[in-house]
Structure formats: C-alpha cells, structure tokens
Amino acid sequence: MSVAAFEACATAVFILTGFAVGLRLLLLARRTREIPELALGGGLFLIVGIGYPIYLVAATAPGLSLEGARRLAILSTVCLNPGMLAVFVFTWRVFRPEARWAALLAACVGVALALLTVVRVQELASLQDRTTLLQPTDVLLIIYTLAGMSYLWSSVEAFLCHGRLRRQLALGLIEPVVANRVLLWATGSMFALLSDAPVLVAGLLRVPFEDLVTVRLMSSLAGLGCGAALYLAFFPPRFYLRRLAGREATA
Amino acid sequence: MSEAYDEFCRQIEVCASLTDLQAMGTARILVKEAGLDAKTATAAQLAVVASKLLPRQLEFLGVKRGDGVAAKIGAALSAAAPAAGAKSAPEAVFRRLGGNA
C-alpha cells in the first residue's frame, strides 16, 4: 500500500468516526440539554465530520473551480474554528467548571478564534491558487497552535481525572467502562495532538509537509489512533465491553 | 462541599466522638484516597468509603470499635435521602456520553 493510499484510508476512518460520534453526542445533547455533550458533539461534528473533509475537497478535488474552492475553504473555516472553541468549552465545563482561569482561557480563545476566522476568511477570499490551500499561512499556523492547545489541555485533564477514577475503581465506586471512556478520550486527544503537531512544526520550519513522507505516515497513524480511541469510547463493541468486565472480575 | 460530604463529616464527628477539625481532616483524607471530589460526592459513594476505608482510619486515630462506628456511619449515609448524583462531575458526564443519560 502506498503512503497516499494509507493516508486516504486513515483519513476516511478518522472522518467517519468523528462524524458518527459527533452526531451521536449531538442527538444525546438534544435529549439531555447539557452543555458537555453539546460542546463535544458539536466540536467533533464541526471539526472532523464537516470542516476537515470540506477543506480536503477544497484543496484536492479534481476539476473544482477556484471560486468553488474559495467558497468551500471559507465554509470549512467557519466550521473548524467554532469546533475548536467547542473543545475548549468541553474541557472547561467538564474538568474545571469552577476555575476562573479556565473560563477566562475559553473566553480568550473564543475572541481569538473569532478574529482569526475573520482574517482567514479574508485571506481565502483573495486566494489565487487553490494548491496553496495545503500550505499553512501565518494565520493558519496560529489556528493550528490553538487546535493543538485544545487537544493537549483536554488530554492532560482527562489523564489526571483517570488517575483519580482508578482509585474509585478500586473501591467499586465507578463502572470500568466509564473510567475507560475517560482514558480513551485522554488517549484520543493525545493522538489528535500528535496528528496536528507535525503539520504545525513543518509549517513553522517552512518545510513542505507533502515532502515529509515519514512525518505524513506518523500523522496518519496518529489520526487512525484518534479514530480508534473515539470508536472504542463511544461505540464500544461487545468483545471490548466483555474484556473490560473480565478485567474487573479478575481485579 | 456537597450536602452528603457535610453529613459525612458530621457523622464522623458525632459517632466517633472526634472534634470537628479531626472529623473534617479524616473525611478529607478518605475522600482523596477514594478519588472523589468533596464538592460532588454522593451519599452512596460516601457510604462505600465509610465501610471500606473508614475503619482503618478510625483505628489509626485510636477510636475504639472503629468497625462498628464505621458501619453505623455507613448505614446513616445509606439511609439519607438519596440525593441525585452530581451531573457535573467528570465521571457523571462521561457516563452520560456513553448514552446512559
């Protein structure tokens, strides 16, 4: 299998999983009217389910006109940036609901992303060559940095929370599947960061990402890992649930 | 702090004949050891903590018949009106995210 084919498969798995999980959580939010499921579902749906695939189409679909690419790239931007903010809101509301610094961070990121969206839309409106969509500009690098921060923060908080939940698990205060879901979210967020980081670093070093085959492979693997973690966390297959239950029984 | 946590402290103070500071310190140690948050801990969770962790702590404090005292506290917490579990605790959120709303 070529690198391009592997990348395509990994990307497809990532997008399908993100779309399904995001949609499922949004439907859950409609029922529960709670912020965390709305934020996480909205974030995953807007970033992975809609924004990312639209951007890929804008940048790579054959036969697409420049005007069509511009419109799609703008649509993708107005999906991706609010999606990123939603991940920040999720982390704040779930792990640090009473911390002022967390609320302030989410508010600052919200303002920054709003401004970056305006600037990026203006940048895209004057796009002259659609192949440059894959080359990160300064604005895009700042957006990537904020995206990386959102995954890093969520991952660290979830790992810390899992450490606490392991103690609850030992006393039988929590179901293994719930503790495991927190761990999978922590892992999935870390994979999302690892998938995002090479693009960011290549952009900062002004190295064309397309030329870095090994890095592209690592980024795709991380994307695949993120998709797998999301799948196991939110659509756990029976064998996986049995394994978790078995582990509890032998503990 | 959650109502259940305050009740847990009060029960430790009364049943184990400790000062309020000793009771609060004991509750704080146990809640941390159990991986719970005093702001979101429920009566059911604290009843488990009372039965599994409190006897050893009471013994450490020199409380006589610690097992019996802990059982009494656990029973009092279990009998308390079952307040709804905190919806905002991370574990409650992740339980809901699995579809168990």
Side-chain angles (χ1 to χ4, degrees):
Chain A
M1 186 188 266
S2 69
V3 173
F6 178 73
E7 273 184 317
C9 287
T11 303
V13 168
F14 180 52
I15 290 172
L16 284 174
T17 315
F19 181 88
V21 172
L23 186 63
R24 181 183 165 173
L25 294 181
L26 283 176
L27 291 172
L28 179 70
R30 198 174 69 165
R31 191 154 48 93
T32 62
R33 308 270 171 199
E34 296 288 343
I35 292 174
E37 36 270 58
L38 178 65
L40 185 57
L44 287 173
F45 192 73
L46 286 171
I47 296 172
V48 190
I50 300 182
Y52 182 48
I54 290 178
Y55 196 76
L56 287 180
V57 170
T60 60
L64 187 67
S65 68
L66 180 61
E67 187 52 33
R70 275 188 199 137
R71 287 183 182 176
L72 286 178
I74 288 171
L75 177 64
S76 155
T77 301
V78 297
C79 289
L80 287 168
N81 292 2
M84 265 175 248
L85 176 61
V87 177
F88 272 102
V89 169
F90 171 77
T91 308
W92 160 44
R93 297 298 302 170
V94 174
F95 298 107
R96 302 279 168 185
E98 289 175 8
R100 282 188 186 173
W101 64 263
L104 190 66
L105 177 65
C108 289
V109 168
V111 172
L113 280 171
L115 292 172
L116 287 164
T117 302
V118 172
V119 177
R120 179 65 179 155
V121 165
Q122 284 175 345
E123 195 175 72
L124 289 169
S126 58
L127 184 77
Q128 295 303 321
D129 176 5
R130 62 184 288 239
T131 58
T132 58
L133 279 174
L134 291 172
Q135 293 165 12
T137 61
D138 290 341
V139 178
L140 205 51
L141 287 176
I142 298 172
I143 294 172
Y144 283 159
T145 305
L146 287 175
M149 273 174 60
S150 76
Y151 304 136
L152 178 65
W153 184 27
S154 209
S155 180
V156 169
E157 293 286 4
F159 274 123
L160 290 173
C161 178
H162 183 256
R164 192 169 60 74
L165 295 184
R166 281 177 63 182
R167 299 201 293 273
Q168 288 193 26
L169 205 54
L171 292 173
L173 289 170
I174 191 170
E175 310 90 300
V177 69
V178 176
N180 185 256
R181 190 171 296 131
V182 176
L183 179 63
L184 286 167
W185 173 249
T187 312
S189 299
M190 192 51 76
F191 274 130
L193 173 65
L194 290 175
S195 177
D196 186 54
V199 186
L200 177 62
V201 173
L204 287 172
L205 297 174
R206 303 291 175 196
V207 180
F209 185 64
E210 303 84 72
D211 297 346
L212 307 171
V213 178
T214 313
V215 179
R216 274 168 53 195
L217 267 175
M218 282 169 57
S219 186
S220 295
L221 272 173
L224 205 56
C226 180
L230 287 176
Y231 174 70
L232 290 175
F234 299 103
F235 295 104
R238 283 186 183 177
F239 83 87
Y240 189 72
L241 291 174
R242 275 200 301 270
R243 197 175 155 191
L244 284 177
R247 201 185 293 171
E248 184 193 27
T250 54
Chain B
M1 303 303 150
S2 72
E3 278 181 34
Y5 179 80
D6 288 339
E7 178 62 15
F8 186 45
C9 292
R10 201 185 67 79
Q11 289 287 340
I12 293 173
E13 184 184 340
V14 173
C15 299
S17 303
L18 297 176
T19 66
D20 59 345
L21 278 178
Q22 283 176 316
M24 282 193 289
T26 302
R28 200 169 172 177
I29 290 168
L30 294 180
V31 162
K32 190 170 182 186
E33 195 178 334
L36 294 170
D37 184 341
K39 290 173 190 159
T40 56
T42 64
Q45 289 172 327
L46 293 170
V48 174
V49 172
S51 69
K52 294 191 175 175
L53 300 179
L54 186 57
R56 195 189 58 208
Q57 194 64 22
L58 291 178
E59 189 183 336
F60 176 76
L61 290 169
V63 174
K64 289 176 185 169
R65 294 188 295 277
D67 282 348
V69 171
K72 193 176 167 188
I73 293 171
L77 287 166
S78 297
K87 286 194 299 185
S88 59
E91 51 269 40
V93 172
F94 275 89
R95 186 177 291 117
R96 271 205 320 272
L97 294 182
N100 309 325

